[in-house]
Amino acid sequence: MSTWPIGVFASVDAGLGVHLDVAKELGIPTVQVHSPHAGTRTKSAADKFLASCHAAGITVTCVFGGFEGESYADIEITARTVGLVPEATRAARADEMKQISDFTKLLGCDTVGMHIGFVPSDRSSSSYRGLIETTRDLLDHVSKNGQKMHLETGQETAEHLLEFIHDVERPNLFINFDPANMILYGTGNPIEALKKVGHLVRSVHCKDAKWAAEPVRGKEWGSEVALGEGDVGMETYLRTLKAVGYTGPLTIEREIAHDRERQRRDIGTAAALLTKLRTEIL
Ligand code: MG
């Protein structure tokens, strides 16, 4: 694959991504996909989706897991409901993530991604220790499928994410860097964060956002905006990706599934912007 192919976050039947036809229409060669619902994670569904991808010249670069009961309504609810952190659903979700890894293998893809949730700040707490154990067990399953797992950024500071990955001690755990999430969650300047975690970044989201009036972790959301209109600074972002040695896809994410027309338009504009910057920077 060439350096920095454009990508888009797509969905089979779940999540906020665009449908595959949007990627096809825009001539975008790679997609990350949100994992489909349990009933659709079958060999025949995988074959059908792969056939559509092949016909459109599209490569699947990562499959993201998501779970029933997750809500991003506000930051407090997100902390309570998302990922493997909530203890009541941890075991069941880890199990489901293994099934998603198996489905990802059917798609011929070597990477799964997920929001692990708000990792507890106290590294000696039982919740943190339990999360480490669960993540190790999951990663060992993922490894048997010949895969690695990428953690989405935003819910932790760069420093705490590095501590967590260090403590998990598995060679197939990496980062999907999302600069907008650092702004949306108020977890730190995205460019400074990227410099800190860059050596572990194996996939990225190209998404933009504006800081909340009072950007404090766990308080009010920032707001997601079209690429190039927010506080990330796309040129600086791409130059920093180059500086940390990142060569993988530039996957556009635009989470406005309620407005499909606008989503399609914004993704087209984003692809044009990234293509222009790529020519200037590489
Ligand atoms: Mg993202």
Side-chain angles (χ1 to χ4, degrees):
M1 205 181 280
S2 59
T3 299
W4 290 1
I6 307 296
V8 67
F9 202 102
S11 60
V12 183
D13 66 358
L16 298 170
V18 295
H19 295 298
L20 204 59
D21 56 354
V22 174
K24 188 179 167 186
E25 233 179 75
L26 295 170
I28 291 175
T30 75
V31 292
Q32 291 189 357
V33 292
H34 194 282
S35 168
H37 297 300
T40 324
R41 291 197 292 263
T42 59
K43 175 84 170 80
S44 65
D47 288 346
K48 195 168 161 232
F49 188 72
L50 262 188
S52 313
C53 287
H54 286 153
I58 292 171
T59 306
V60 179
T61 60
C62 179
V63 178
F64 261 81
F67 309 103
E68 284 295 321
E70 291 186 323
S71 167
Y72 293 85
D74 64 36
I75 296 186
E76 191 274 325
I77 290 174
T78 304
R80 205 151 29 81
T81 64
V82 168
L84 298 182
V85 172
E87 292 180 53
T89 50
R90 185 180 288 167
R93 285 180 175 178
D95 210 50
E96 184 167 6
M97 199 60 210
K98 290 179 185 175
Q99 294 163 28
I100 290 169
S101 162
D102 296 345
F103 180 76
T104 302
K105 192 179 181 188
L106 294 177
L107 288 177
C109 178
D110 68 356
T111 306
V112 290
M114 74 175 308
H115 284 270
I116 199 133
F118 280 62
V119 173
S121 52
D122 180 358
R123 292 164 84 189
S124 62
S125 66
S126 68
S127 183
Y128 184 87
R129 299 307 311 169
L131 184 65
I132 294 284
E133 287 309 319
T134 300
T135 308
R136 283 178 180 164
D137 178 61
L138 170 58
L139 284 167
D140 292 342
H141 182 95
V142 166
S143 174
K144 277 181 205 145
N145 280 334
Q147 297 161 336
K148 49 208 165 63
M149 185 161 93
H150 297 182
L151 296 182
E152 175 83 345
T153 56
Q155 294 165 343
E156 291 71 44
T157 60
E159 292 80 5
H160 196 41
L161 187 61
L162 287 176
E163 286 173 346
F164 179 71
I165 291 173
H166 171 267
D167 290 345
V168 171
E169 294 181 301
R170 287 295 182 274
N172 60 333
L173 184 57
F174 295 100
I175 291 171
N176 181 87
F177 192 83
D178 186 327
N181 280 357
M182 306 302 295
I183 292 174
L184 290 168
Y185 287 90
T187 36
N189 178 296
I191 304 299
E192 294 311 311
L194 177 56
K195 289 176 187 167
K196 286 177 188 147
V197 305
H199 59 292
L200 292 171
V201 171
R202 292 292 183 280
S203 59
V204 303
H205 286 161
C206 292
K207 190 170 88 182
D208 214 341
K210 286 183 176 293
W211 293 101
E214 208 193 329
V216 180
R217 180 184 182 230
K219 284 243 187 168
E220 182 202 353
W221 286 122
S223 48
E224 193 201 327
V225 295
L227 204 77
E229 293 177 11
D231 294 327
V232 170
M234 277 304 139
E235 181 172 349
T236 310
Y237 178 47
L238 294 197
R239 289 194 186 279
T240 310
L241 283 173
K242 186 183 178 191
V244 300
Y246 180 76
T247 59
L250 302 176
T251 304
I252 300 160
E253 188 179 32
R254 185 67 172 120
E255 301 187 290
I256 46 167
H258 57 278
D259 189 347
R260 292 287 181 189
E261 266 318 300
R262 170 119 195 259
Q263 187 181 43
R264 178 186 301 247
R265 207 166 56 234
D266 285 357
I267 287 166
T269 310
L273 173 64
L274 291 173
T275 303
K276 174 179 165 283
L277 288 171
R278 183 177 61 186
T279 308
E280 290 168 9
I281 293 170
L282 286 185

